Amino acid sequence: DMYHEEEDVAAVCRNSTLCQELGQVEYIFSDKTGTLTCNLMEFKKASVDGVVHSLDSAVDAIARRAQPVVDLFQLLAVCHTVVPDREGEAKELAGIVCPAYEAESPDEAALVEAAARVGIRFFDRNPDTVVLKEFGPLPQDGLRDRQFKILAVNEFTSARKRMSIVVEDDSGIITVLCKGADNVMFELCPEGVTDVLNRHLTDFAEEGLRTLVCAKRTLSRAEFDEWIVSYNAAQLTVNQRGEALAKCAAQVERDMKIVGATAIEDKLQDQVPETLEDLKKAGIKVWVLTGDKLETAVNIGYSCRLLNASMRVVTIATETAEEAREQLMSLDNVISISKDPNLLMSFQSRLEQLISRVLPSRGRKR
């Protein structure tokens, strides 16, 4: 059964004591993306101006020149670090042959390709310019090249949970385009955070989709000229350069207006649910690490059978050590009703270890 048909490769046992060693395994710690999932991202949906769009409905909206939809997919086609791979296999996207895309992450490639499929095609890039091929603003307009001058790129980091690009379009308007995690973006966007958008993001997460929120802000020439001085200085900083760049980026990544949100699917690999179920039957405890939204993580947990309907699921959601400590201690009440004294003693012992090792200092954020 351990055979990969696509590559015609079967599993080979090179160790006669492998089964004995596996029998000693008590815990398995696993990443989610690329381990449980295929790490092949596919654009599924977008929330724009209170409406959920698939790629098909987005194509129709852009054909009607619906500006909110155009703005979102134009942002996706410009705000990234993707480069065209001229030696790779070209694709025909929305009637135009586009180069293959080479991206730092499969998420970015999926978003850029989604924009191309609805008619806003990322076509070329050099250190100073992004070139799109898209239709003009009027129905009678044909296909045209649209150039955006790259003025600055504020890269994604795990601490910032967002990236942005500062561009100047062919009419001289300077704009900050930004995309990132919803909890971070909402704090930076006084405009556009609505109950409808929140509901859409929750719905996407409950479907197991990865979400991003997109926003933009227009800069005046004077404001940009003042900011670019500090940006260039931060670029030349030797000590604590990352902190200097993050501080500089935060100066323009504020007071933005939300353009929309995207939802991407990363499918589970073959046989993942069955494998995890067998591991649990063997008495092995499985831990999975993910940076997804809580709702996405729970949905994936059920999809891969790490969780099931017969379980009592306990959620610990907090930002401070003190709150986490209180919630962890409250779990004692959950386990204390168990009739198994060994289970209770084991839980209490591991809970004390968790509190002392993971949360050693009071009030420290995690």
Side-chain angles (χ1 to χ4, degrees):
D1 291 339
M2 299 179 69
Y3 171 73
H4 191 251
E5 186 175 354
E6 293 179 7
E7 297 183 11
D8 191 25
V9 174
V12 178
C13 181
R14 302 184 184 277
N15 189 330
S16 60
T17 64
L18 182 61
C19 292
Q20 296 163 340
E21 293 173 359
L22 287 176
Q24 300 175 36
V25 174
E26 186 178 358
Y27 293 92
I28 291 179
F29 294 85
S30 173
D31 187 19
K32 184 196 70 123
T33 302
T35 304
L36 300 185
T37 63
C38 300
N39 205 23
L40 296 173
M41 309 299 177
E42 182 181 354
F43 181 93
K44 285 295 183 181
K45 299 176 182 179
S47 173
V48 187
D49 201 25
V51 179
V52 174
H53 288 277
S54 64
L55 280 181
D56 290 340
S57 64
V59 169
D60 294 339
I62 288 177
R64 301 193 309 270
R65 306 303 193 268
Q67 198 58 45
V69 181
V70 172
D71 288 346
L72 174 64
F73 283 95
Q74 195 174 80
L75 184 150
L76 297 179
V78 175
C79 183
H80 56 76
T81 56
V82 176
V83 294
D85 181 6
R86 299 296 176 185
E87 297 181 0
E89 184 178 351
K91 294 182 179 180
E92 184 174 323
L93 302 174
I96 298 294
V97 176
C98 294
Y101 295 140
E102 186 175 311
E104 294 179 355
S105 71
D107 302 64
E108 284 218 311
L111 293 173
V112 172
E113 185 169 316
R117 290 187 182 280
V118 301
I120 302 178
R121 309 160 193 83
F122 167 59
F123 196 74
D124 199 7
R125 184 191 199 108
N126 59 51
D128 301 319
T129 309
V130 169
V131 180
L132 309 183
K133 283 189 178 293
E134 62 179 29
F135 289 97
L138 299 176
Q140 63 267 28
D141 292 337
L143 195 67
R144 61 172 184 169
D145 284 358
R146 184 89 186 275
Q147 294 194 2
F148 293 83
K149 184 178 180 181
I150 302 172
L151 303 177
V153 177
N154 300 308
E155 295 182 355
F156 174 90
T157 67
S158 57
R160 283 168 32 81
K161 297 183 180 179
R162 64 188 185 275
M163 69 88 63
S164 67
I165 184 169
V166 184
V167 296
E168 181 179 354
D169 66 15
D170 41 22
S171 61
I173 297 175
I174 299 174
T175 309
V176 181
L177 304 175
C178 187
K179 63 185 182 187
D182 55 8
N183 60 326
V184 173
M185 296 295 289
F186 284 173
E187 294 178 358
L188 305 175
C189 301
E191 291 187 59
V193 181
T194 64
D195 292 339
V196 173
L197 177 60
N198 271 312
R199 187 174 69 250
H200 288 168
L201 288 169
T202 300
D203 291 344
F204 296 161
E206 289 177 348
E207 293 177 41
L209 304 178
R210 300 159 64 96
T211 59
L212 281 178
V213 170
C214 304
K216 67 177 184 178
R217 175 190 175 203
T218 302
L219 296 179
S220 67
R221 175 63 66 176
E223 187 176 11
F224 169 76
D225 289 342
E226 181 180 353
W227 175 80
I228 197 65
V229 173
S230 60
Y231 175 81
N232 289 334
Q235 289 276 25
L236 299 175
T237 300
V238 176
N239 297 323
Q240 298 181 325
R241 181 173 180 270
E243 294 181 9
L245 286 171
K247 184 178 180 180
C248 188
Q251 295 174 4
V252 291
E253 294 171 344
R254 59 179 178 82
D255 300 330
M256 296 184 290
K257 180 179 180 181
I258 289 179
V259 177
T262 62
I264 296 176
E265 181 183 39
D266 186 10
K267 294 182 179 180
L268 290 175
Q269 297 201 45
D270 292 341
Q271 302 296 310
V272 162
E274 293 82 358
T275 301
L276 291 182
E277 198 166 48
D278 288 343
L279 289 171
K280 290 192 297 177
K281 287 179 181 178
I284 297 175
K285 289 82 172 176
V286 182
W287 292 63
V288 175
L289 178 67
T290 176
D292 291 323
K293 284 170 62 68
L294 175 61
E295 295 86 353
T296 305
V298 171
N299 180 278
I300 293 295
Y302 283 108
S303 298
C304 68
R305 298 185 194 169
L306 190 66
L307 305 175
N308 61 57
S310 65
M311 289 181 175
R312 180 168 184 176
V313 178
V314 179
T315 302
I316 298 175
T318 179
E319 295 183 356
T320 67
E322 184 60 33
E323 291 174 352
R325 190 186 303 270
E326 292 175 0
Q327 292 190 29
L328 284 169
M329 292 305 298
S330 71
L331 290 182
D332 201 352
N333 297 325
V334 176
I335 303 299
S336 63
I337 63 175
S338 171
K339 296 179 180 180
D340 185 346
N342 294 326
L343 177 61
L344 177 57
M345 291 178 62
S346 174
F347 170 78
Q348 289 175 332
S349 173
R350 290 173 182 171
L351 176 59
E352 290 172 1
Q353 293 176 13
L354 179 63
I355 292 176
S356 62
R357 294 179 184 177
V358 180
L359 303 171
S361 58
R362 296 175 64 87
R364 184 176 178 182
K365 283 197 173 183
R366 289 287 180 182

